[in-house]
Amino acid sequence: MRSLANRLDLCSINTATLGHREPLHQVIDRVARAGFGGIAPWRHEMEHADKRAIARQLRALDLKVTGYCRSTYIPAADTKAFLSGIGSNRAAIHDAAELQAECFMLVVGGLPDGSTNLHGARRQVAEGIAMLLETAAECHVKLAIEPLHPMYAADRSVVNTLAQALALCDELDPDRRGHLGVAFDIFHCWWDPLVEATLVSPQASGRIVAFHVSDWLRNTRDMLLDRGMMGDGVVQLRRLRELVERTGFEGLVEVEIFSRDDWWQRPADDVLSTCAERLQAHC
Ligand code: ZN
């Protein structure tokens, strides 16, 4: 297992951690100045930016893009809406290629409005990812299926465990062609009684393409916007990183903290210095 001591070059900041309070080019400068080796931007930030200039800036600062966030939700109420979502995701995969992102994050979506067909939504997800895989291969971009905590199954993701995400990978990419994997986010996966056994199984080998850290606060007040800083919660972060790295993962450790009432209220440079300290002390 790698040591993160004095190795901020092995660490990355998801821009959500800073609360999306500044234009992307300023956030990029700030993250690079703080010494991190990578960054993970969001599509809505890119929409307000000059994409080519952002790509040039990232290369000039030698920042890796550990992920591009994130997909348009896949399950839809009708074919037209489904294909519209696929089209939107295809365009985003091209942008991920321009950024030379390690992967495009698939937060696959929950149930379409008015639907109770969970199984059907999951089949739409499989069908949609199969279609996107063609674009991913053309663009040389990896798709990272991110299982989300089951509390989001209705509205954000019908993929809810690591084992389920890996099974999708096996189904859609049995020959392991290199464009499909899983994003392992400790916030979503820490509670799962099968997570350790799954991580050490041959199925997980080589499939983890992104690793996100934060912490689960014992007294979580908001299911979306109250993630903890590493070390403030109950997750055995170092243990999980060890298991993730045993699968062959060699990417950067990405901090992703949604924290509306706490960390997003603090000065950005203070948040970054705390991330740096906690990554080395707790991850
Ligand atoms: Zn994540």
Side-chain angles (χ1 to χ4, degrees), residues 188-263:
H188 297 300
C189 297
W190 74 277
W191 59 274
D192 181 350
L194 296 178
V195 82
E196 295 212 359
T198 309
L199 279 171
V200 300
S201 72
Q203 200 183 21
S205 177
R207 281 287 194 199
I208 309 291
V209 297
F211 178 53
H212 300 170
V213 296
S214 57
D215 212 336
W216 183 281
L217 300 173
R218 174 177 280 277
N219 180 25
T220 297
R221 294 161 298 175
D222 184 289
M223 63 196 254
L224 185 63
L225 299 175
D226 192 26
R227 294 194 191 190
M229 177 63 68
M230 296 76 73
D232 289 345
V234 298
V235 181
Q236 291 188 324
L237 295 163
R238 195 159 284 167
R239 169 73 180 153
L240 287 175
R241 182 164 72 86
E242 182 187 359
L243 291 168
V244 164
E245 292 191 1
R246 266 201 241 163
T247 69
F249 176 73
E250 292 179 328
L252 276 62
V253 178
E254 178 184 317
V255 179
E256 185 184 38
I257 300 176
F258 299 82
S259 173
R260 183 185 53 207
D261 297 334
D262 188 351
W263 294 97

Side-chain angles (χ1 to χ4, degrees), residues 148-195:
L148 259 53
H149 191 286
M151 67 184 171
Y152 300 119
D155 62 345
R156 290 175 188 275
S157 175
V158 292
V159 175
N160 305 105
T161 66
L162 175 64
Q164 185 192 359
L166 290 170
L168 255 180
C169 290
D170 284 349
E171 176 189 339
L172 301 173
D173 177 39
D175 302 328
R176 293 174 170 257
R177 291 170 185 268
H179 299 107
L180 188 60
V182 172
F184 185 93
D185 186 322
I186 67 90
F187 183 82
H188 297 300
C189 297
W190 74 277
W191 59 274
D192 181 350
L194 296 178
V195 82

Side-chain angles (χ1 to χ4, degrees), residues 68 89 102 138-140 149 190 195 204 234:
Y68 186 42
N89 283 323
E102 306 273 315
E138 282 161 27
C139 295
H140 307 289
H149 191 286
W190 74 277
V195 82
V234 298

